[in-house]
Amino acid sequence: MNSELLVSDASHFRVDYEINPYMDTAIQPDVQATLAEHQAIVAAHLAAGRKVEYLPSAPECPDMVFTANAAVIRGEKAVLGNPPSERQAEIPYFTAWLSEHHYEVVEAPYLFSGQGDALACGDLLLAAYGQRTDERMLDVLARELDYEVVPLRTVSSRWYDLDLAVGVVAPDLLAYCPDALDAASVRTLRGLGADLIEVPVEEAALFALNLVSDGTTVTMTQGVPRLAAELRGRGLEVVELDTTELAKGGGGVRCTALTLDNPPA
Ligand code: ARG
């Protein structure tokens, strides 16, 4: 899993609007520092042996670096994201890229945060609704991608995308923040039979769970020592990177990579 990723670049990354509580138009990212941060993330994917595909960012799309929201992909099929109006201009670029790369592209009829709210976990799709994703998308995802959809809900806009509250380390190992999910969702996760790492809210708020794991190497933010230690304790290789600038847009490592290689049903 996560051995093939679609990334963009941070050349046009800005905070032009506030569509999540981390964004503040008065606090702009430093251009050079953001470029360096993003390049380090891509370099870490390559060093871990992952294949990285690249779609250049467009000047009118200040959040395009966060490719995770563009779609969720299984096998040869991609269900596009359907983001807030501020980010709609990104979608045609991703549609064109996916079509050119022979994916069957399906439009989302309702609001949908793409992989931000839909994390593949073997044959399961952990899918959140209620923030950036309309509940009706869960049936669409089950039908179009043939996943068994596991519905989850986060408790506030602080966790506007599921990938801030839950991280899939391997199909049988999940990390999650119990305080970020409602009680029913915590029960659901505990009932999956996977090994679970509980992450304190202080670390989750620093994008600890916004990680990319191929099951061997976990690429994640720095500054969250408890989760990093839990992962190392389970024999995983952990690479910790600075995500200070990306955090000004409300994103981290996971948000900047759309997974292209989720195995088909
Ligand atoms: N500024 C972006 C937005 O609010 C950040 C998206 C981060 N992506 C993610 N998968 N959490 O849409």
Side-chain angles (χ1 to χ4, degrees):
M1 63 191 241
N2 288 310
S3 61
E4 234 182 289
L5 305 167
L6 176 61
V7 307
S8 184
D9 59 64
S11 302
H12 304 289
F13 177 55
R14 302 177 301 278
V15 182
D16 279 1
Y17 42 76
E18 297 170 2
I19 56 171
N20 69 56
Y22 304 89
M23 301 175 88
D24 178 346
T25 53
I27 302 175
Q28 291 297 324
D30 178 85
V31 179
Q32 289 310 319
T34 317
L35 288 172
E37 249 177 39
H38 188 259
Q39 281 161 11
I41 293 171
V42 172
H45 292 317
L46 293 170
R50 302 171 190 148
K51 183 176 173 197
V52 177
E53 299 277 1
Y54 169 58
L55 171 62
S57 69
E60 73 280 18
C61 298
D63 267 331
M64 196 161 164
V65 69
F66 299 119
T67 55
N69 301 109
V72 64
I73 293 171
R74 184 182 206 187
E76 298 301 306
K77 207 167 184 182
V79 177
L80 289 173
N82 187 351
S85 58
E86 290 86 345
R87 295 189 63 184
Q88 282 285 343
E90 297 174 30
I91 297 301
Y93 293 104
F94 286 101
T95 305
W97 190 92
L98 290 164
S99 303
E100 278 158 24
H101 290 77
H102 310 296
Y103 288 92
E104 182 189 340
V105 178
V106 178
E107 280 183 28
Y110 313 109
L111 208 59
F112 177 45
S113 209
Q115 182 191 278
D117 262 341
L119 301 172
C121 180
D123 287 328
L124 306 180
L125 188 67
L126 310 180
Y129 65 96
Q131 302 286 344
R132 294 276 190 98
T133 297
D134 187 302
E135 187 174 5
R136 291 170 288 181
M137 275 309 294
L138 274 53
D139 282 341
V140 176
L141 294 168
R143 187 171 67 240
E144 294 290 350
L145 299 176
D146 210 10
Y147 271 121
E148 185 182 327
V149 171
V150 178
L152 299 172
R153 297 200 76 168
T154 65
V155 292
S156 76
S157 62
R158 196 173 177 194
W159 323 102
Y160 65 90
D161 266 359
L162 184 65
D163 64 7
L164 304 187
V166 176
V168 179
V169 183
D172 58 356
L173 177 58
L174 304 175
Y176 78 112
C177 175
D179 293 320
L181 298 170
D182 71 8
S185 302
V186 171
R187 280 198 298 276
T188 300
L189 280 185
R190 288 183 179 151
L192 291 178
D195 186 9
L196 297 177
I197 300 173
E198 296 200 351
V199 174
V201 70
E202 302 74 41
E203 290 203 349
L206 297 173
F207 302 93
L209 290 158
N210 203 251
L211 54 83
V212 174
S213 172
D214 52 36
T216 305
T217 303
V218 181
T219 313
M220 60 184 284
T221 193
Q222 66 186 24
V224 291
R226 285 173 62 175
L227 177 58
E230 289 275 1
L231 294 168
R232 288 198 174 98
R234 284 168 169 80
L236 290 145
E237 187 76 40
V238 177
V239 179
E240 296 159 274
L241 299 168
D242 185 11
T243 59
T244 309
E245 301 304 314
L246 290 169
K248 294 174 183 169
V253 174
R254 175 71 279 187
C255 308
T256 61
L258 177 65
T259 299
L260 297 172
D261 66 334
N262 288 320

